[in-house]
Amino acid sequence: MKSLQGIYAVTDEVLTPKSTIVKQVEEALEAGAKVIQLRDKSSTDDELEPIAKSLQDLCDQKKATFFINDRVQLAKKIGADGVHVGFRDQTVKETREEVGEKMLIGVSCYGDIERAKQAVNDGADYVAFGAIYPSKTKPKADVVSKEIISKAKAELDVPICVIGGINRKNINEIVDFQPDLYALVSDIFESESIKKTVTELNKLISKSE
């Protein structure tokens, strides 16, 4: 199975436009990002299919793991490593029935440990909690206590992902809680040097390993 730990770079329609997304993701992978998520809420599956294929190929080359956000049919069509669903989308059980046993499923659990337990019971391969900090990309998201990470690690036996407003300035505050995955959007893809940023992030989280 591919890795579900380390820096998890999540794309964004504005910060990673179609004209540059593949190059930007390649830079993140070259600097050591371990997981990539294609997140695009506005394009059609047909528009995203060639990009998704290119990103999956890149992740295969770099031995990284590739997820598509929400778009289960697209993930199935291109043979993505995984699909990430929100609890407001279809259920994990429905997703598992649709994608089969081999595809990885990640699920957003916000600040709800009971939702996370249900998701794991239904077949989720990792659970994500957040927003850990106020988020530029999801400004309306509720901020959750970092203590949820400790509780999740104690009660669940799947990788724990944290997301929401994480950057090089505050990631040290999370490292001690030892989540498995650190999902970032803005700090990686707004930076002047994606490679430099991901390299710095990896150094900052390495003390927890």
Side-chain angles (χ1 to χ4, degrees), residues 45-196:
D45 281 8
D46 286 345
E47 289 172 325
L48 289 177
E49 185 177 339
I51 292 169
K53 284 180 176 174
S54 295
L55 296 181
Q56 180 65 67
D57 288 346
L58 268 177
C59 286
D60 287 341
Q61 291 167 26
K62 302 293 184 182
K63 295 182 171 56
T65 310
F66 178 59
F67 284 85
I68 296 178
N69 183 280
D70 289 350
R71 300 168 185 267
V72 176
Q73 292 304 317
L74 179 60
K76 283 177 65 178
K77 189 172 183 181
I78 69 129
D81 293 320
V83 62
H84 181 95
V85 294
F87 246 88
R88 298 180 186 92
D89 305 314
Q90 67 184 49
T91 67
V92 175
K93 190 174 283 187
E94 289 169 339
T95 305
R96 177 57 71 201
E97 288 170 359
E98 205 167 333
V99 303
E101 292 303 313
K102 290 185 179 179
M103 188 177 290
L104 298 167
I105 298 175
V107 61
S108 298
C109 298
Y110 316 105
D112 193 331
I113 198 81
E114 294 306 318
R115 275 181 171 176
K117 288 178 182 177
Q118 185 63 54
V120 173
N121 287 339
D122 289 344
D125 294 286
Y126 77 82
V127 290
F129 294 97
I132 300 297
Y133 298 100
S135 168
K136 286 184 185 178
T137 52
K138 284 195 173 183
K140 293 180 181 178
D142 292 333
V143 174
V144 303
S145 168
K146 299 178 190 67
E147 298 299 330
I148 193 89
I149 307 168
S150 303
K151 190 170 176 58
K153 286 188 73 75
E155 298 186 27
L156 299 167
D157 60 358
V158 298
I160 307 302
C161 175
V162 288
I163 190 167
I166 300 165
N167 58 44
R168 283 161 290 172
K169 292 179 181 176
N170 62 29
I171 200 166
N172 277 330
E173 299 171 11
I174 314 169
V175 167
D176 289 342
F177 292 92
Q178 297 188 315
D180 301 281
L181 288 159
Y182 300 80
L184 298 92
V185 185
S186 301
D187 198 46
I188 292 176
F189 292 119
E190 269 187 349
S191 61
E192 290 182 11
S193 170
I194 292 171
K195 285 185 180 179
K196 183 181 177 188

